[in-house]
Amino acid sequence: MSDPTERDTATKKRLMEMAKVWYDQMNNGEIPSITLPTRTKYNIEYDDESEVWKYGDKESVRNAGTAKSATHMLKMAYVIWFIKTQLQENRSSTLREMYYISEGWKQAKFGAQNESNYLIEDLEIITAMQREFFHMRPEEDGASIFGPIRIRENTRRGMKEIHCQDDVGEAGYNIPNNVENVELVDHDASCVIAIETGGMFSRLQENGFDEDYNAVLLHLKGQPARATRRMLKRMNEELGIPVVVFTDGDPWSYRIYASVAYGSIKSAHMSELLATPSAQFIGVKPSDIQRYNLPADKLTEQDVSALRAELTDPRFATDFWRKEINLQLEMNLKSEQQAFASRGLDFVTKEYLPSMLSEIGVLKR
Amino acid sequence: MSDPTERDTATKKRLMEMAKVWYDQMNNGEIPSITLPTRTKYNIEYDDESEVWKYGDKESVRNAGTAKSATHMLKMAYVIWFIKTQLQENRSSTLREMYYISEGWKQAKFGAQNESNYLIEDLEIITAMQREFFHMRPEEDGASIFGPIRIRENTRRGMKEIHCQDDVGEAGYNIPNNVENVELVDHDASCVIAIETGGMFSRLQENGFDEDYNAVLLHLKGQPARATRRMLKRMNEELGIPVVVFTDGDPWSYRIYASVAYGSIKSAHMSELLATPSAQFIGVKPSDIQRYNLPADKLTEQDVSALRAELTDPRFATDFWRKEINLQLEMNLKSEQQAFASRGLDFVTKEYLPSMLSEIGVLKR
């Protein structure tokens, strides 16, 4: 559904169907209700077909039989009305704005920001549509991209065609908050390298890695935004470009990788849209600290608990991760990706990345 | 010094002069030394001419008479050599990379990251040159810009001319980490609005404020990066565009404004380059919470201490700020800029901003 008008019509229809179900329930003398999967890590299952983690079969039913649940459904009805208006007027808003707008909704006013966030997630699950289709904008834009790919963005100021190497400054093309407005036109890329730090993004650019290897460089800016994950997924799925994730070597960075490759528990209902199961990890591994004799720091208490938690996280239940995580706990060390600089500023682009990319089969030279 | 080669030559010369002083001192049988202003808030003074806060007269001398100071100067010598090599080879690096590279400097190896950061600041002070001239890159890029201004960026892939409304996507033009490579070509702007949150940046764009008022929208992304502050300064100084800062109404946001307008204590030696003294505050004021009946939250303990600290901060020693800060402590409330949404999504662009901009004389309609 790349045509915006078509998308809006379909979204409106889906939301109206929800209201119709309630209407019919009431008409039949039933108490209106909604059914949702239980959203905890005990209800996450691996889906073989799509290769992502999704919510399992456990469901919870919420019906308007109690004052609390009735209020919740009233809020949902208000939100549906709000979104419908947005779609009709071709406007958009942030979750934060919607929260403030609810000031005028009397009993349906939200008590706290996370309440409205959660409700939008519920609506995403029920309608099986992403919030971007509701014209709900995230606060933050996505990552920046620099490399041999041409996009076409449908902006409020008309259609813009941008080559992400030739038509941008050194800071690259900024992924907008709604990636559905971006069309991937063509490319000449061997892979997409999603990079954790700005320093490493610039290092690869300065060393000409994008030119020498036709690599698309993408600066993740920490835990990747929805728009970033969606963009990675689309470059991988629509254009068939392999995605690799290049991070520091600590538990927080492994989570960044996991959220790109497997999705997150919080948005398991969006995994099919946001996760790139074939994305491979080429960040600093505990075994690399030994192999390359990298400068390292001791693990903090928080690091140790995070690593332990990852040992029980289904997303890290592979031989590779278990071996590396156990090794890290044993060594009690972590290294940053920029630590490769201790072997010279060219080491990462002349040695480390080419050898890693060949090892995992992305580079065939 | 917009010509990069000229800039590099001048920088190298200045650094070599430092080494020459040491050489001469040793030749004369003196102990080599450096003199620096004391870098605390007790040595910050308002400079009437440039209208910014700078370091005062207090100085501290460091000479190589003790092992500790001698090691410090050895490190400085290594850093000077490192920068000289960078300039010769036309390369650049981050502070983090330099920290790791010092692994090979034996006794001059840095013990911690902040040690190398501090040393670069010392070099900035002594040479009166910004670290960007040393080819030291910050980790993060600057803010994004959307509005009627055309720039020319000297990138590693050639010269790029970009109109920040016509040639970019909705996320705007990303300010690169070295603003000295950007030339401001021409513009059609009435003002630059530096905006704290991404939600409000998109709101103004969606509502067409950039078109209706020829406003350049700039998304600060929290505490503004050096590149962002330098860009604001240059747009104001070179093009004469008024700068206004639009933030939330809490002590942290006032600090964002202060760092744009007055500079920060940490980089007081860079104030003339980074601060925009004429920048005016149009963020949410405590008096606005009453005036517009905005949804508000109670102050936290941290908020209260931060407000109290601001009452003794020389940068907030004006009637305006003292009145507003005292009012806020009394009301015990704070509001976010997106709280204007409680009065409808158009209120901020149809009512609040036009009236504020007229009030402070930026808008003459």
Side-chain angles (χ1 to χ4, degrees):
Chain A
M1 275 188 291
S2 59
D3 178 56
T5 323
E6 220 173 279
R7 200 163 68 205
D8 289 353
T9 311
T11 310
K12 213 159 56 188
K13 187 159 164 271
R14 200 84 66 94
L15 288 166
M16 288 306 103
E17 280 163 10
M18 281 183 66
K20 181 150 192 320
V21 169
W22 294 337
Y23 180 84
D24 290 343
Q25 286 174 322
M26 287 188 274
N27 244 354
N28 295 336
E30 292 163 32
I31 299 173
S33 67
I34 46 173
T35 307
L36 276 165
T38 311
R39 294 172 62 193
T40 68
K41 74 169 167 178
Y42 304 105
N43 192 32
I44 297 267
E45 284 175 7
Y46 187 74
D47 182 71
D48 284 318
E49 203 188 325
S50 59
E51 297 179 87
V52 294
W53 293 85
K54 291 183 178 180
Y55 288 123
D57 291 335
K58 296 200 190 77
E59 286 192 333
S60 51
V61 177
R62 176 170 266 156
N63 77 38
T66 66
K68 198 181 153 210
S69 289
T71 310
H72 183 83
M73 287 179 69
L74 178 65
K75 287 175 190 179
M76 199 172 254
Y78 260 104
V79 169
I80 290 173
W81 164 79
F82 175 72
I83 296 172
K84 184 182 152 219
T85 315
Q86 285 210 138
L87 292 168
Q88 271 162 351
E89 298 176 356
N90 194 23
R91 303 200 63 161
S92 64
S93 60
T94 64
L95 284 170
R96 204 133 198 89
E97 285 177 321
M98 188 180 76
Y99 164 72
Y100 286 119
I101 282 169
S102 83
E103 289 277 322
W105 294 354
K106 293 162 198 145
Q107 286 208 52
K109 181 185 155 180
F110 290 113
Q113 172 78 57
N114 62 359
E115 206 188 331
S116 48
N117 299 358
Y118 212 81
L119 201 147
I120 285 290
E121 286 169 20
D122 281 351
L123 280 184
E124 286 186 306
I125 296 172
I126 297 170
T127 60
M129 284 181 146
Q130 41 175 323
R131 68 186 69 177
E132 285 77 6
F133 284 22
F134 305 156
H135 291 203
M136 295 307 300
R137 269 189 271 117
E139 284 289 324
E140 300 301 331
D141 302 327
S144 41
I145 290 182
F146 191 88
I149 184 166
R150 188 189 310 275
I151 60 92
R152 199 177 290 134
E153 186 184 330
N154 187 2
T155 79
R156 294 190 192 93
R157 307 286 183 269
M159 197 66 88
K160 312 281 173 182
E161 192 166 299
I162 296 168
H163 187 278
C164 300
Q165 220 169 18
D166 299 343
D167 304 332
V168 298
E170 284 190 357
Y173 167 71
N174 242 354
I175 301 172
N177 45 43
N178 188 356
V179 177
E180 304 314 315
N181 293 332
V182 176
E183 191 189 331
L184 306 176
V185 181
D186 55 42
H187 78 99
D188 183 30
S190 63
C191 63
V192 179
I193 307 184
I195 303 159
E196 180 171 358
T197 66
M200 189 52 82
F201 176 82
S202 299
R203 167 62 45 226
L204 266 53
Q205 191 182 102
E206 175 170 323
N207 292 7
F209 201 79
D210 54 308
E211 290 191 320
D212 295 348
Y213 292 89
N214 287 331
V216 172
L217 312 178
L218 181 147
H219 177 197
L220 288 167
K221 304 186 183 173
Q223 192 64 37
R226 280 171 70 98
T228 304
R229 289 184 283 150
R230 179 72 185 133
M231 191 65 169
L232 282 167
K233 169 73 168 184
R234 289 189 55 202
M235 290 194 287
N236 180 252
E237 196 172 58
E238 293 173 29
L239 304 179
I241 315 176
V243 169
V244 297
V245 182
F246 183 24
T247 65
D248 291 340
D250 62 49
W252 321 100
S253 302
Y254 309 153
R255 283 188 193 174
I256 289 176
Y257 164 70
S259 88
V260 168
Y262 310 122
S264 65
I265 293 165
K266 215 177 102 56
S267 57
H269 58 292
M270 289 284 115
S271 290
E272 265 176 289
L273 289 173
L274 300 178
T276 309
S278 67
Q280 295 190 74
F281 182 77
I282 57 160
V284 178
K285 295 182 294 296
S287 54
D288 290 332
I289 302 179
Q290 299 181 320
R291 185 171 169 189
Y292 298 107
N293 190 25
L294 296 177
D297 289 312
K298 286 222 161 67
L299 298 177
T300 65
E301 264 178 58
Q302 289 79 7
D303 291 335
V304 172
S305 339
L307 284 170
R308 293 233 170 89
E310 282 167 8
L311 283 175
T312 66
D313 186 325
R315 299 177 301 170
F316 291 101
T318 64
D319 286 345
F320 169 82
W321 281 111
R322 260 194 291 253
K323 209 183 101 211
E324 291 289 350
I325 292 171
N326 281 318
L327 174 64
Q328 184 149 37
L329 285 166
E330 210 175 283
M331 291 162 65
N332 196 32
L333 290 173
K334 60 180 175 183
S335 284
E336 294 178 339
Q337 56 181 177
Q338 293 194 61
F340 287 118
S342 67
R343 311 196 47 158
L345 293 175
D346 290 330
F347 182 79
V348 69
T349 48
K350 295 260 184 257
E351 306 276 337
Y352 180 74
L353 285 176
S355 99
M356 268 314 287
L357 292 173
S358 302
E359 214 171 274
I360 61 172
V362 165
L363 220 69
K364 290 151 200 110
R365 286 171 67 122
Chain B
M1 273 188 291
S2 60
D3 177 58
T5 323
E6 219 175 280
R7 199 165 69 205
D8 290 351
T9 311
T11 310
K12 212 158 57 188
K13 186 158 165 272
R14 200 83 66 92
L15 288 166
M16 288 305 104
E17 279 163 11
M18 282 183 65
K20 181 149 194 322
V21 169
W22 293 338
Y23 180 84
D24 291 343
Q25 284 174 323
M26 288 189 273
N27 243 356
N28 296 336
E30 292 164 32
I31 298 174
S33 67
I34 45 173
T35 307
L36 278 164
T38 311
R39 295 171 62 192
T40 69
K41 74 169 166 179
Y42 305 104
N43 192 32
I44 297 267
E45 284 174 7
Y46 187 75
D47 182 71
D48 284 319
E49 205 188 323
S50 60
E51 296 179 86
V52 294
W53 293 85
K54 292 183 177 179
Y55 289 122
D57 291 334
K58 295 199 191 78
E59 287 192 332
S60 50
V61 177
R62 175 171 266 155
N63 76 38
T66 66
K68 198 182 154 210
S69 289
T71 309
H72 183 84
M73 288 178 69
L74 178 66
K75 287 176 188 179
M76 199 172 253
Y78 260 104
V79 170
I80 290 174
W81 164 79
F82 174 72
I83 296 172
K84 184 182 150 218
T85 314
Q86 285 209 138
L87 292 168
Q88 272 164 349
E89 298 177 356
N90 195 23
R91 304 200 63 159
S92 64
S93 60
T94 64
L95 285 171
R96 205 132 197 88
E97 287 178 319
M98 187 181 76
Y99 164 72
Y100 285 120
I101 282 170
S102 83
E103 289 277 322
W105 295 353
K106 294 164 198 144
Q107 284 207 55
K109 180 186 156 181
F110 290 113
Q113 172 80 55
N114 61 359
E115 206 189 330
S116 49
N117 298 359
Y118 211 81
L119 200 147
I120 286 289
E121 286 170 18
D122 281 352
L123 280 184
E124 286 185 315
I125 297 171
I126 297 170
T127 60
M129 283 180 146
Q130 41 175 323
R131 69 186 68 175
E132 286 78 5
F133 284 22
F134 305 155
H135 292 203
M136 296 307 301
R137 270 190 269 116
E139 284 291 323
E140 299 301 331
D141 302 327
S144 41
I145 290 182
F146 191 88
I149 182 166
R150 187 189 310 275
I151 60 92
R152 199 176 291 134
E153 186 184 330
N154 186 3
T155 79
R156 294 188 193 93
R157 308 283 184 273
M159 196 67 87
K160 312 281 172 181
E161 193 165 297
I162 296 167
H163 187 279
C164 301
Q165 220 168 17
D166 299 342
D167 304 332
V168 296
E170 283 190 357
Y173 167 72
N174 241 352
I175 302 173
N177 43 43
N178 187 357
V179 178
E180 305 314 315
N181 293 332
V182 176
E183 191 188 333
L184 307 175
V185 180
D186 55 41
H187 77 99
D188 183 30
S190 63
C191 63
V192 179
I193 308 184
I195 303 158
E196 181 170 355
T197 65
M200 188 53 84
F201 176 82
S202 300
R203 168 60 48 225
L204 266 55
Q205 190 181 103
E206 174 169 324
N207 291 8
F209 201 80
D210 55 307
E211 290 192 319
D212 294 349
Y213 292 90
N214 287 331
V216 172
L217 312 178
L218 181 147
H219 176 198
L220 287 169
K221 304 185 183 174
Q223 193 64 37
R226 281 171 69 98
T228 304
R229 289 184 283 149
R230 180 71 186 134
M231 191 66 169
L232 283 166
K233 169 71 167 185
R234 288 188 55 201
M235 290 194 285
N236 180 252
E237 196 172 59
E238 293 172 29
L239 304 179
I241 315 176
V243 169
V244 297
V245 182
F246 183 24
T247 66
D248 291 339
D250 62 50
W252 321 101
S253 302
Y254 309 152
R255 283 188 193 173
I256 289 176
Y257 164 69
S259 86
V260 168
Y262 309 122
S264 64
I265 292 165
K266 216 177 100 59
S267 57
H269 58 290
M270 291 283 113
S271 290
E272 266 177 286
L273 288 173
L274 299 178
T276 308
S278 66
Q280 293 190 77
F281 182 77
I282 58 161
V284 178
K285 295 183 293 296
S287 54
D288 290 332
I289 301 178
Q290 299 179 319
R291 185 172 169 190
Y292 298 107
N293 190 23
L294 296 177
D297 289 311
K298 286 221 162 67
L299 298 178
T300 64
E301 266 179 55
Q302 289 80 7
D303 292 335
V304 172
S305 339
L307 285 170
R308 292 231 170 90
E310 282 168 8
L311 284 174
T312 66
D313 186 325
R315 299 176 300 171
F316 291 101
T318 64
D319 286 347
F320 168 82
W321 282 111
R322 261 193 291 254
K323 211 184 100 212
E324 290 289 351
I325 291 171
N326 281 317
L327 175 63
Q328 184 149 37
L329 285 166
E330 212 174 281
M331 291 163 63
N332 196 31
L333 290 174
K334 60 180 176 183
S335 283
E336 295 179 339
Q337 54 181 176
Q338 294 193 61
F340 287 118
S342 66
R343 311 197 47 160
L345 292 176
D346 289 330
F347 182 80
V348 68
T349 48
K350 296 263 184 254
E351 305 277 337
Y352 179 75
L353 285 176
S355 100
M356 268 312 288
L357 293 172
S358 302
E359 215 169 273
I360 61 172
V362 165
L363 220 70
K364 289 147 201 114
R365 288 171 66 120

